[in-house]
Amino acid sequence: MEIQEKQAFLRDFGNRIRMLRTSQQMSLDELARKCGYTSENARSSIQKIEAGKSDIPASKIRQIANALNTTEAVLMGWEKDDRLNSEQIAQKIDMPDMIQIIKHKTNEATGQAVESYLQLDTEDQAEIRGEMKQMLKSDKYQQDGLKNA
């Protein structure tokens, strides 16, 4: 497998884990615990997997699948799981309702930021994400397990 193929696979693999975890309203810490991660950086380990930055051993794939009540085949992308279809999820939840949920779960400013972001075209959204990634590389955010997030 070429480097680019591997990076794409790890990114997709991580996205499937994140979608399943969030669909079950499971925290990073809870998933880490259920998968047997016990160190102080357990949360960071799951963050790296979800971000596609960490290649995990095969033994962990089964533990993650079990923790997420799914199969290894779903995590690998070999089988489909309806919980992973973000388009269906978006259709079931009206965007204004989603913004209200975000405001309720976080704060008003976060909801306003998401609302503004969604008004941008895809090119400008990509630019914003790039700026955010650059900001996250600063020393200010390189503590508390946020490195390489």
Side-chain angles (χ1 to χ4, degrees), residues 9 16 34 48 51-52 62-63 70 80 93 114 121 126 133 139:
F9 170 79
R16 285 188 290 274
K34 286 184 174 189
K48 288 177 183 175
R62 175 167 283 162
Q63 289 176 321
T70 192
K80 298 292 180 198
I93 301 174
V114 171
D121 63 24
K133 287 178 183 177
D139 289 342

Side-chain angles (χ1 to χ4, degrees), residues 22-39:
T22 57
S23 75
Q24 297 174 43
Q25 298 179 334
M26 187 183 300
S27 70
L28 289 165
D29 292 319
E30 185 178 357
L31 179 56
R33 247 187 341 274
K34 286 184 174 189
C35 294
Y37 288 101
T38 56
S39 65

